[in-house]
C-alpha cells in the first residue's frame, strides 16, 4: 500500500513538473498562436499610396490605407524594405538598418504607423535583408577601405584566379558573382547586384550586428520578420566551382546549379539563433522565410527538427505551379499539409518578384473567374495565406514595352528575355480616376505608370459591384473568420483522382459543420459526386456558403453537382 502511494506520488510529481515545463517552454508552433489564423498582406511601399505628390508611395500612405485593409479583413502587413537605400534593388540594398529612407518618410511616420496599426488590430511585419547590404552601407565602405580594416572580414573578399574572378559563381541577376575592387585588388562576392555585397555570416560580429537590428525593430513592437533570401546566407569556404548545366540563361551566361552558394547546412544554425531571439519577445513574433525550396523535404527542414526555426516558410512550389492543374495542386497541397516537421503551411501566389497571378493563372478569357478560384485556393486551406497588394482587385502584370522605360536593373540586363519585375510593381489602383488611379495626385508622375486597366479594376468601382473580385475576397475572408471549420478544421483532399476539380474538405472535428471547397480548374462544366461518409458526413445535401457562378439556391445535392468552367463553390456539410 505504501509503495502504491509512493508510486502515485512520484507519478504526480513527474506529471506536475512536465506540465510546468510545457508552460515555461517558449510557445512553438503547437500553440494556437495569432499567425496561424492571420491573413498577411504584402505592401510594396513604393507603389501603395503616395501622399506628397512625388510619385512614390510612402509610410503616411500606408497609414492612410489601414482602414481599407481592416475592412478587407487583413490581420497583418508585411512591408518590403523602407530603410535608407540607394534603391538600386528598390530597398533590398540597405544602407542603414535602423532608420527610414526619407523617400518614404521619417521614423516619426513609422511610429505613427505602428500606433495606428495597433488601434486597427493590424500587425506589422518587417523585411530583414540579412544576406547582403548596400555597397553604400558604412559597414561595406569600411570593409572595402583596406585589407586590414577591422570590418574587412564582414564581407566575402577573395583573391582572383588566373587574371579573373575566384571561381565560376554567378549572380542571380546575371554574370559573375564577383566584382574586383581595384583599391585593394581583391574581389568581393555578391549573390545579387554588384551593389549588394554579401555579408560573411561566419563572422560572429556580423551575426551580432544583425541580431541587434532585429531587436531594434522588435523593441518598436513589430510582429516579426520576413527574412529575405535565407538560403543564400552561406557559401562554400573552399570556393568549389558550381556545376554547369546545359544551355544559357536570359543574360547569356551558361546555366549553372547554385550548388555551393545555396542551402548550406549552416543556414539552420542561424535560423535557430534568430528564432530564439524572436521567441524571447512577448506576443509570439513570427519568422517568415523567403526561400525557393525545390521540394517538400527541403521546405520541411526550414521548420527545424523541433519546430525551432522558421514558423512560416513561404511555399514557392505551390506559388509556381503556373498552370491550373488539379492534379499538381492536390499533390503539392497534400505534401505540405502533411509535412514531416508538422509545420504550419504558408501560401502565396503573387509577390513583388513574380508575374501577378491574374495573368499567370488566367487563360486570357476567364481571368476574373480564375482570380476568384485562386483566391479560394489561397484563403481556405489549413494555412496562413499571404496576399500581395492589388491581387484582391485583379491587378494584372503590366511589363514595360521599351527597354528605356525599365526601372528594375535586371530587366535591362535581361532584356528582352527577362524584362524585370516592374510589371508586378505598378501602383495600387484605388479609383477610376485617370491617369493615376488615386495612387498619387493627378498631376504627379508615378515612378511606374498606372496601367489602363485601373479604370475598371480598382477598389472604388469594385467595392460597389457585388460580383467583383474584391467582393469575392471580402466574402472569403469573412468565411475564414466565422466558420470554425476554416479556422481549425483538418485538411482532407476529396475525390483524389479527379483531374479537373480540386476538392478539399476542412473537416471540423467539433460539434459543427465541415466545409467542402470545390474548384473546377477546367474550361468545361464538370459534374461531381461527393461521398463524405468516411468523414462522418451523412447528409446528401450541402449548404451553399459561397460560389463564384451565381448559383442562387441555398442547398445543393452532394451526389450530383455541376460546377461551371473555373467555378468555385464553398459548401457547408454535416
Ligand atoms: C529577394 C527579394 C528581391 C530582391 C532579392 C535581393 O528575392 O524578394 O526583391 O531583389 O531578394 O535582395
Ligand atoms: Ca511620396
Amino acid at each position: 500500500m505504501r509503495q502504491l502511494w509512493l508510486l502515485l506520488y512520484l507519478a504526480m510529481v513527474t506529471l506536475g513538473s512536465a506540465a510546468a515545463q510545457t508552460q515555461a517552454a517558449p510557445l512553438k508552433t503547437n500553440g494556437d498562436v495569432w499567425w496561424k489564423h492571420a491573413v498577411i498582406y504584402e505592401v510594396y511601399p513604393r507603389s501603395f499610396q503616395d501622399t506628397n505628390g512625388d510619385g512614390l508611395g510612402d509610410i503616411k500612405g500606408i497609414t492612410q490605407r489601414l482602414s481599407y485593409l481592416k475592412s478587407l479583413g487583413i490581420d497583418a502587413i508585411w512591408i518590403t524594405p523602407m530603410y535608407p537605400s540607394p534603391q538600386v534593388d528598390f530597398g533590398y540594398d540597405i544602407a542603414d538598418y535602423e532608420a527610414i529612407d526619407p523617400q518614404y518618410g521619417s521614423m516619426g511616420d513609422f511610429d505613427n504607423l505602428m500606433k495606428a496599426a495597433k488601434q486597427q488590430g493590424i500587425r506589422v511585419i518587417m523585411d530583414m535583408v540579412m544576406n547582403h547590404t548596400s555597397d553604400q552601407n558604412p559597414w561595406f565602405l569600411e570593409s572595402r577601405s583596406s585589407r586590414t580594416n577591422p570590418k574587412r572580414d564582414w564581407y566575402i573578399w577573395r583573391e582572383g584566379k588566373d587574371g579573373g574572378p575566384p571561381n565560376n559563381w554567378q549572380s542571380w541577376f546575371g554574370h559573375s558573382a564577383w566584382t574586383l575592387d581595384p583599391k585593394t585588388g581583391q574581389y568581393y562576392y555578391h549573390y545579387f547586384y554588384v551593389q549588394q555585397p554579401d555579408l560573411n555570416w561566419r563572422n560572429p560580429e556580423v551575426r551580432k550586428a544583425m541580431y541587434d537590428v532585429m531587436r531594434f525593430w522588435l523593441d518598436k513592437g513589430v510582429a516579426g520578420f520576413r527574412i529575405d533570401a535565407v538560403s543564400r546566407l552561406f557559401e562554400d569556404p573552399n570556393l568549389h566551382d558550381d556545376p554547369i548545366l546545359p544551355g544559357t540563361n536570359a543574360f547569356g551566361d551558361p546555366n549553372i546549379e547554385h550548388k555551393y552558394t545555396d542551402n548550406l547546412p549552416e543556414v539552420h544554425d542561424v535560423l535557430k539563433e534568430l528564432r530564439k531571439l524572436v521567441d524571447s519577445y512577448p506576443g509570439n513574433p513570427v519568422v517568415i522565410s523567403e526561400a525557393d525550396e525545390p521540394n517538400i523535404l527541403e521546405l520541411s527542414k526550414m521548420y527545424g527538427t523541433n519546430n525551432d526555426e522558421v514558423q512560416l516558410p513561404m511555399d514557392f512550389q505551390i506559388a509556381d505551379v503556373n498552370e491550373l492543374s488539379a492534379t499538381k495542386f492536390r499533390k503539392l497541397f497534400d505534401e505540405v499539409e502533411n509535412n514531416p516537421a508538422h509545420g504550419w503551411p504558408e501560401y502565396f501566389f503573387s509577390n513583388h518578384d513574380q508575374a501577378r497571378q491574374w495573368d499567370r493563372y488566367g487563360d486570357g478569357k476567364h481571368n476574373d473567374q480564375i482570380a476568384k478560384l485562386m483566391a479560394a485556393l489561397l484563403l481556405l486551406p489549413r494555412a496562413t495565406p499571404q496576399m500581395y497588394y492589388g491581387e484582391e482587385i485583379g491587378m494584372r502584370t503590366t511589363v514595360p514595352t521599351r527597354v528605356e522605360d525599365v526601372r528594375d536593373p535586371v530587366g535591362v540586363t535581361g532584356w528582352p528575355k527577362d524584362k524585370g519585375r516592374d510589371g508586378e510593381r505598378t501602383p495600387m489602383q484605388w479609383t477610376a480616376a485617370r491617369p493615376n488611379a488615386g495612387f498619387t495626385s493627378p498631376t504627379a508622375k508615378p515612378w511606374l505608370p498606372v496601367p489602363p486597366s485601373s479604370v475598371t479594376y480598382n477598389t472604388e468601382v469594385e467595392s460597389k459591384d457585388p460580383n467583383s473580385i474584391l467582393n469575392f475576397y471580402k466574402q472569403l475572408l469573412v468565411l475564414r473568420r466565422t466558420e470554425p471549420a476554416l479556422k481549425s478544421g483538418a485538411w482532407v483532399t476529396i475525390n483524389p483522382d479527379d483531374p479537373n476539380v480540386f476538392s478539399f474538405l476542412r473537416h471540423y472535428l467539433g460539434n459543427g459543420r465541415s466545409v467542402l471547397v470545390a474548384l473546377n480548374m477546367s474550361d468545361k462544366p464538370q459534374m461531381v459526386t461527393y461521398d463524405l461518409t468516411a468523414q462522418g458526413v451523412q447528409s446528401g445535401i450541402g449548404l451553399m456558403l459561397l460560389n463564384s457562378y451565381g448559383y442562387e439556391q441555398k442547398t445543393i445535392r452532394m451526389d450530383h453537382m455541376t460546377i461551371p468552367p473555373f467555378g468555385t463553390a464553398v459548401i457547408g456539410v454535416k
Side-chain angles (χ1 to χ4, degrees), residues 45-312:
R46 210 174 179 77
S47 301
F48 199 56
Q49 176 69 65
D50 178 23
T51 59
N52 65 349
D54 63 358
L56 302 175
D58 40 53
I59 295 177
K60 282 192 178 139
I62 304 174
T63 310
Q64 216 177 71
R65 292 298 184 179
L66 285 174
S67 45
Y68 164 78
L69 296 173
K70 187 71 199 172
S71 69
L72 182 59
I74 294 307
D75 305 286
I77 50 175
W78 148 36
I79 312 175
T80 61
M82 40 183 187
Y83 317 96
S85 161
Q87 306 287 342
V88 172
D89 195 11
F90 299 110
Y92 283 94
D93 45 329
I94 299 174
D96 179 353
Y97 283 82
E98 297 183 1
I100 295 291
D101 194 310
Q103 290 193 341
Y104 297 137
S106 64
M107 195 57 92
D109 293 339
F110 179 80
D111 293 337
N112 287 338
L113 167 65
M114 289 296 293
K115 244 185 264 155
K118 195 167 183 186
Q119 274 163 12
Q120 300 263 22
I122 295 179
R123 289 178 162 88
V124 176
I125 297 169
M126 298 298 270
D127 210 316
M128 272 299 293
V129 185
M130 314 201 305
N131 176 67
H132 50 268
T133 69
S134 159
D135 63 350
Q136 298 308 308
N137 191 303
W139 300 341
F140 187 69
L141 295 178
E142 273 191 55
S143 182
R144 83 185 322 175
S145 65
S146 83
R147 288 193 183 206
T148 53
N149 183 279
K151 287 211 170 51
R152 185 66 170 182
D153 184 53
W154 279 39
Y155 294 84
I156 320 278
W157 292 99
R158 292 289 186 280
E159 299 295 335
K161 204 175 83 187
D162 311 326
N167 67 10
N168 75 349
W169 293 351
Q170 278 176 25
S171 158
W172 190 251
F173 292 142
H175 312 323
S176 175
W178 297 97
T179 291
L180 177 67
D181 196 31
K183 180 153 191 231
T184 53
Q186 282 186 319
Y187 286 79
Y188 68 88
Y189 171 72
H190 50 89
Y191 194 100
F192 296 97
Y193 290 124
V194 176
Q195 298 88 342
Q196 293 170 303
D198 273 49
L199 285 160
N200 174 15
W201 273 85
R202 294 199 177 91
N203 183 318
E205 289 172 18
V206 166
R207 292 196 189 195
K208 182 177 176 303
M210 235 7 129
Y211 298 153
D212 285 348
V213 168
M214 294 177 76
R215 285 193 194 93
F216 175 87
W217 294 102
L218 285 165
D219 287 339
K220 282 194 172 283
V222 306
F225 302 96
R226 174 264 192 191
I227 317 280
D228 185 68
V230 266
S231 55
R232 279 106 206 222
L233 292 186
F234 291 89
E235 36 293 309
D236 172 28
N238 300 318
L239 305 192
H240 282 103
D241 274 341
D242 271 334
I244 306 276
L245 305 172
T248 53
N249 61 23
F251 315 107
D253 305 318
N255 288 323
I256 62 163
E257 181 196 342
H258 292 267
K259 180 171 173 182
Y260 292 105
T261 57
D262 257 17
N263 272 325
L264 269 65
E266 288 149 291
V267 167
H268 296 281
D269 304 336
V270 170
L271 290 176
K272 282 194 180 68
E273 284 173 9
L274 66 86
R275 174 64 183 281
K276 261 200 201 113
L277 189 162
V278 159
D279 276 349
S280 73
Y281 277 77
N284 297 300
V286 69
V287 177
I288 304 170
S289 64
E290 187 216 20
D292 182 0
E293 303 304 344
N295 55 51
I296 183 62
L297 290 177
E298 287 299 322
L299 179 85
S300 197
K301 278 188 201 161
M302 284 287 154
Y303 294 110
T305 39
N306 188 25
N307 271 310
D308 51 359
E309 297 184 26
V310 173
Q311 292 110 322
L312 297 177

Side-chain angles (χ1 to χ4, degrees), residues 289 291-300 313-323 325 328-336 346-349 354 360-361 374 377:
S289 64
D292 182 0
E293 303 304 344
N295 55 51
I296 183 62
L297 290 177
E298 287 299 322
L299 179 85
S300 197
M314 292 164 62
D315 194 320
F316 277 77
Q317 291 274 298
I318 285 177
D320 292 337
V321 167
N322 292 341
E323 61 176 300
S325 159
K328 288 188 180 167
F329 276 123
R330 187 181 296 120
K331 174 173 176 283
L332 291 172
F333 273 85
D334 268 347
E335 271 178 8
V336 64
E346 211 248 29
Y347 301 132
F348 71 101
F349 289 108
Q354 48 194 352
R360 201 152 41 86
Y361 286 94
M374 296 307 287
L377 186 57

